[in-house]
Amino acid sequence: MKYVTLNNGVKMPQLGFGVWQVEDQSATAAVLKAIEYGYRSIDTATVYQNEAGVGRAIKQAKVNREDLFITTKVWNTDQGYDNTIAAFEDSLKRLGLDYVDLYLIHWPMPKHDKYVETYKALEQLYTDGQVKAIGVSNFEIEHLERLMKETDIKPVVNQVECHPHLVQQELKDFCKKHDIFIEAYSPLEQGGDVLKNEVLTEIAEKHGKTPAQVVLRWHIQNDTVIIPKSVTPSRIEENFQIFDFELSAKDMDAITKLDIGRRIGANPNEMNER
């Protein structure tokens, strides 16, 4: 496992395990399997409705709590200072924990204009020691600029959709300049046709790896934190086997050139659902 050092000094595994769209009961077995294979970072959220399942896995795992890195997120309906504090307490109870390692705002929801107030609640939770680090998800450059202007603690990560068909280079450059890590969700484009691309299949064959492993390695070498999701034990294991090979500069460039700006999720400026 490789670790990155966040801008507040906290170390975070560069490869994590995501549980989006995993049912609560299934989440326990999937997370236990991931921990067994060596994953130490688990990413959940209130809206996933599986925090309790993740919490059961944490309790059953034969790994010390301090060796795990647990992320959850405040959902859109809970934005606002007081609501966020209450939502965090509810998340802690469902997870069965007394702190989380990373707490994120799930979406900026610009139309509702509550993300600055919401982030101030995250700052308070951080100051109180209930979270080890705070950050955001799905924030565009303009949201980050305003947040850094109107709050005191810089986000440590910005978790966004990112894969070879949506490279997010401008956002990556901005975040790197401000020492904010990009954390990629849907790093494999949810198993989309990107994995069938001839460029990837040729690179994979050259390295004796699968196209999925090549894409995950591309993220790693781009200093991106990743949280691939699977409930299939063989895939969970496959996604972990990415630290024993290296892509060349030519490989990296060829993958980056697959960018077509295609989102499979919502546009952050248009996502105002509550």
Side-chain angles (χ1 to χ4, degrees):
M1 176 59 66
K2 288 190 175 180
Y3 287 76
V4 299
T5 302
L6 305 175
N7 63 39
N8 66 344
V10 168
K11 292 191 181 300
M12 178 181 187
Q14 196 175 357
L15 170 64
F17 184 70
V19 293
W20 178 55
Q21 293 183 325
V22 179
E23 291 184 1
D24 190 71
Q25 289 299 322
S26 303
T28 303
V31 171
L32 277 170
K33 186 60 69 176
I35 291 172
E36 180 186 321
Y37 283 136
Y39 292 83
R40 292 296 177 263
S41 174
I42 311 298
D43 180 274
T44 184
T46 296
V47 77
Y48 301 168
Q49 297 185 339
N50 57 21
E51 288 173 313
V54 170
R56 288 192 297 272
I58 295 167
K59 192 173 182 180
Q60 294 171 32
K62 296 172 182 175
V63 174
N64 292 331
R65 166 66 184 98
E66 57 268 26
D67 293 329
L68 295 173
F69 192 98
I70 309 301
T71 300
T72 193
K73 312 174 193 78
V74 58
W75 183 239
N76 301 346
T77 49
D78 294 319
Q79 283 207 25
Y81 189 93
D82 292 337
N83 287 344
T84 296
I85 299 292
F88 175 77
E89 294 299 334
D90 289 341
S91 284
L92 272 191
K93 287 174 190 170
R94 285 189 292 268
L95 287 162
L97 301 176
D98 53 12
Y99 73 93
V100 298
D101 297 273
L102 179 60
Y103 198 42
L104 307 177
I105 300 178
H106 210 141
W107 292 89
M109 288 209 307
K111 190 175 82 173
H112 296 279
D113 195 24
K114 286 189 174 182
Y115 65 83
V116 171
E117 179 189 347
T118 300
Y119 193 79
K120 287 180 178 178
L122 269 61
E123 289 183 310
Q124 189 61 54
L125 292 167
Y126 177 73
T127 301
D128 291 344
Q130 291 186 277
V131 299
K132 303 292 185 184
I134 56 175
V136 294
S137 181
N138 297 298
F139 273 48
E140 299 283 77
I141 290 173
E142 62 263 36
H143 309 136
L144 290 167
E145 285 178 330
R146 182 180 170 204
L147 199 66
M148 289 189 289
K149 195 178 294 182
E150 297 183 28
T151 62
D152 298 320
I153 301 170
K154 189 189 296 183
V156 295
V157 304
N158 183 19
Q159 186 185 117
V160 298
E161 180 183 343
C162 181
H163 44 75
H165 281 163
L166 185 69
V167 172
Q168 299 264 35
Q169 196 60 54
E170 186 181 1
L171 183 60
K172 281 180 179 175
D173 291 344
F174 177 88
C175 286
K176 185 174 183 179
K177 178 183 174 183
H178 292 280
D179 200 14
I180 299 168
F181 272 96
I182 287 286
E183 183 177 13
Y185 69 78
S186 298
L188 301 172
E189 200 189 34
Q190 293 181 24
D193 61 6
V194 69
L195 297 182
K196 299 170 189 169
N197 187 282
E198 191 176 326
V199 169
L200 286 173
T201 55
E202 286 181 6
I203 294 172
E205 191 174 334
K206 181 175 67 175
H207 290 280
K209 291 289 183 177
T210 65
Q213 288 170 325
V214 165
V215 171
L216 295 178
R217 182 69 202 180
W218 169 78
H219 283 294
I220 291 289
Q221 288 181 219
N222 271 326
D223 294 326
T224 300
V225 178
I226 47 175
I227 46 170
K229 179 218 91 176
S230 180
V231 294
T232 308
S234 60
R235 288 278 171 81
I236 294 172
E237 185 175 17
E238 176 189 323
N239 291 343
F240 195 80
Q241 306 302 321
I242 58 171
F243 298 108
D244 57 353
F245 75 108
E246 189 158 335
L247 299 172
S248 68
K250 186 178 177 182
D251 292 337
M252 292 290 290
D253 186 54
I255 298 169
T256 298
K257 284 179 177 172
L258 296 177
D259 187 19
I260 53 175
R262 182 167 76 193
R263 288 185 187 275
I264 50 176
N267 185 311
N269 277 313
E270 297 168 4
M271 171 56 157
N272 289 290
E273 178 187 314
R274 304 192 69 200

